[in-house]
Amino acid sequence: MLNKGLRDQETTRIDNILKVLHSLTFVPKFWNLEDILLLENELKDLGMNFESLRDFDEKQLIFHLEHLHFDWNHFEIFADFLIALSKESQFDFTQKAIAIYNYIQLESKTFSFEIFNKLAASKANINYK
Protein backbone atom coordinates (compact mmCIF):
# COMPACT_ATOMS: atom_id res chain seq x y z
CA MET A 1 0.00 0.00 0.00
CA LEU A 2 1.05 3.53 -0.66
CA ASN A 3 1.26 6.08 2.12
CA LYS A 4 -0.93 9.19 1.84
CA GLY A 5 1.70 11.44 0.24
CA LEU A 6 2.70 8.88 -2.37
CA ARG A 7 -0.95 8.00 -2.96
CA ASP A 8 -1.75 11.66 -3.64
CA GLN A 9 1.16 11.94 -6.08
CA GLU A 10 0.12 8.72 -7.81
CA THR A 11 -3.49 9.91 -8.04
CA THR A 12 -2.38 13.21 -9.58
CA ARG A 13 -0.12 11.40 -12.06
CA ILE A 14 -2.91 9.02 -13.11
CA ASP A 15 -5.40 11.92 -13.37
CA ASN A 16 -3.06 13.77 -15.73
CA ILE A 17 -2.47 10.71 -17.92
CA LEU A 18 -6.19 10.01 -18.17
CA LYS A 19 -6.95 13.65 -19.06
CA VAL A 20 -4.46 13.51 -21.93
CA LEU A 21 -5.77 10.14 -23.14
CA HIS A 22 -9.33 11.43 -23.09
CA SER A 23 -8.33 14.62 -24.90
CA LEU A 24 -6.84 12.53 -27.72
CA THR A 25 -10.30 11.09 -28.42
CA PHE A 26 -12.13 14.42 -28.16
CA VAL A 27 -12.17 15.09 -31.91
CA PRO A 28 -13.58 12.22 -34.00
CA LYS A 29 -11.19 11.15 -36.70
CA PHE A 30 -9.74 8.23 -38.55
CA TRP A 31 -6.65 7.23 -36.63
CA ASN A 32 -3.42 7.34 -38.58
CA LEU A 33 0.06 6.27 -37.49
CA GLU A 34 0.89 9.64 -35.95
CA ASP A 35 -2.28 9.61 -33.84
CA ILE A 36 -1.61 6.06 -32.68
CA LEU A 37 1.94 7.05 -31.71
CA LEU A 38 0.55 9.88 -29.55
CA LEU A 39 -1.79 7.38 -27.94
CA GLU A 40 1.09 4.92 -27.47
CA ASN A 41 3.16 7.59 -25.75
CA GLU A 42 0.44 8.21 -23.16
CA LEU A 43 -0.38 4.54 -22.68
CA LYS A 44 3.31 3.93 -21.98
CA ASP A 45 2.88 5.89 -18.75
CA LEU A 46 0.28 3.29 -17.75
CA GLY A 47 2.61 0.39 -18.57
CA MET A 48 0.76 -0.42 -21.79
CA ASN A 49 0.95 0.16 -25.48
CA PHE A 50 -1.75 0.03 -28.11
CA GLU A 51 -1.08 -3.62 -28.87
CA SER A 52 -1.26 -4.69 -25.22
CA LEU A 53 -4.49 -2.70 -24.81
CA ARG A 54 -5.94 -4.66 -27.73
CA ASP A 55 -4.54 -7.99 -26.50
CA PHE A 56 -5.53 -7.74 -22.82
CA ASP A 57 -8.73 -9.59 -22.10
CA GLU A 58 -11.14 -7.87 -19.73
CA LYS A 59 -9.83 -9.53 -16.56
CA GLN A 60 -6.20 -8.90 -17.46
CA LEU A 61 -6.92 -5.23 -18.14
CA ILE A 62 -8.73 -4.77 -14.83
CA PHE A 63 -5.92 -6.56 -12.98
CA HIS A 64 -3.36 -4.33 -14.71
CA LEU A 65 -5.27 -1.18 -13.76
CA GLU A 66 -5.63 -2.39 -10.16
CA HIS A 67 -1.87 -2.92 -10.06
CA LEU A 68 -1.46 0.74 -11.05
CA HIS A 69 -3.51 1.74 -7.95
CA PHE A 70 -6.48 3.05 -9.92
CA ASP A 71 -9.35 4.23 -7.75
CA TRP A 72 -12.99 3.90 -8.82
CA ASN A 73 -12.97 7.30 -10.51
CA HIS A 74 -9.85 6.36 -12.51
CA PHE A 75 -11.48 3.12 -13.63
CA GLU A 76 -14.53 5.06 -14.78
CA ILE A 77 -12.48 7.65 -16.68
CA PHE A 78 -10.45 4.91 -18.35
CA ALA A 79 -13.64 3.09 -19.39
CA ASP A 80 -14.99 6.40 -20.73
CA PHE A 81 -11.78 6.75 -22.74
CA LEU A 82 -12.26 3.25 -24.17
CA ILE A 83 -15.83 4.11 -25.19
CA ALA A 84 -14.69 7.36 -26.84
CA LEU A 85 -11.94 5.48 -28.66
CA SER A 86 -14.46 2.85 -29.74
CA LYS A 87 -16.71 5.39 -31.43
CA GLU A 88 -14.31 5.19 -34.34
CA SER A 89 -15.23 2.14 -36.41
CA GLN A 90 -11.54 1.33 -36.62
CA PHE A 91 -11.41 0.28 -32.94
CA ASP A 92 -13.76 -1.50 -30.63
CA PHE A 93 -12.95 -1.56 -26.93
CA THR A 94 -16.58 -1.44 -25.85
CA GLN A 95 -16.55 -4.92 -24.26
CA LYS A 96 -13.55 -3.93 -22.13
CA ALA A 97 -15.28 -0.73 -21.05
CA ILE A 98 -18.42 -2.69 -20.14
CA ALA A 99 -16.30 -5.08 -18.06
CA ILE A 100 -14.74 -2.13 -16.25
CA TYR A 101 -18.14 -0.51 -15.58
CA ASN A 102 -19.44 -3.85 -14.25
CA TYR A 103 -16.34 -4.21 -12.09
CA ILE A 104 -16.92 -0.75 -10.60
CA GLN A 105 -20.58 -1.53 -9.84
CA LEU A 106 -19.78 -4.86 -8.21
CA GLU A 107 -16.56 -4.15 -6.37
CA SER A 108 -17.14 -0.60 -5.17
CA LYS A 109 -20.17 -1.82 -3.21
CA THR A 110 -21.91 1.39 -4.25
CA PHE A 111 -24.62 1.57 -6.86
CA SER A 112 -24.17 4.44 -9.29
CA PHE A 113 -26.92 5.50 -11.66
CA GLU A 114 -24.29 7.20 -13.81
CA ILE A 115 -22.34 3.95 -14.22
CA PHE A 116 -25.62 2.08 -14.75
CA ASN A 117 -26.55 4.49 -17.55
CA LYS A 118 -23.11 4.21 -19.14
CA LEU A 119 -23.42 0.43 -19.03
CA ALA A 120 -26.84 0.52 -20.67
CA ALA A 121 -25.66 2.92 -23.38
CA SER A 122 -22.56 0.81 -24.07
CA LYS A 123 -24.58 -2.39 -24.32
CA ALA A 124 -27.11 -0.70 -26.59
CA ASN A 125 -24.26 0.52 -28.78
CA ILE A 126 -22.97 -3.06 -29.15
CA ASN A 127 -26.44 -4.28 -30.13
CA TYR A 128 -26.79 -1.39 -32.57
CA LYS A 129 -23.55 -2.23 -34.39
Side-chain angles (χ1 to χ4, degrees):
M1 284 301 299
L2 298 173
N3 66 32
K4 181 162 176 32
L6 288 176
R7 178 71 181 147
D8 290 344
Q9 287 176 345
E10 187 69 3
T11 297
T12 302
R13 184 184 76 80
I14 292 169
D15 284 340
N16 291 333
I17 293 168
L18 292 173
K19 283 178 190 173
V20 171
L21 281 173
H22 208 63
S23 72
L24 290 173
T25 62
F26 187 67
V27 178
K29 59 184 166 192
F30 187 80
W31 288 77
N32 61 28
L33 184 59
E34 183 180 328
D35 297 324
I36 292 174
L37 289 175
L38 286 172
L39 183 66
E40 287 262 340
N41 193 37
E42 291 305 315
L43 286 173
K44 176 180 62 173
D45 292 335
L46 295 176
M48 290 185 251
N49 59 28
F50 194 76
E51 186 177 326
S52 66
L53 179 60
R54 267 194 339 243
D55 293 344
F56 277 144
D57 69 19
E58 289 84 2
K59 288 182 182 181
Q60 289 172 321
L61 180 59
I62 290 169
F63 180 77
H64 182 78
L65 298 176
E66 281 178 334
H67 184 70
L68 294 172
H69 307 289
F70 270 41
D71 60 22
W72 302 123
N73 188 47
H74 293 143
F75 275 107
E76 181 179 358
I77 293 169
F78 191 78
D80 294 345
F81 157 72
L82 292 177
I83 291 295
L85 190 58
S86 296
K87 289 187 180 189
E88 310 300 324
S89 61
Q90 189 177 0
F91 308 110
D92 190 13
F93 296 112
T94 308
Q95 289 289 20
K96 292 176 183 177
I98 289 171
I100 292 171
Y101 290 140
N102 278 325
Y103 173 76
I104 295 167
Q105 287 287 64
L106 293 172
E107 297 299 321
S108 71
K109 309 275 192 270
T110 305
F111 182 81
S112 165
F113 281 108
E114 185 175 357
I115 299 289
F116 179 80
N117 290 335
K118 288 178 181 182
L119 260 169
S122 299
K123 288 178 182 177
N125 191 30
I126 286 178
N127 294 335
Y128 181 72
K129 287 183 179 179

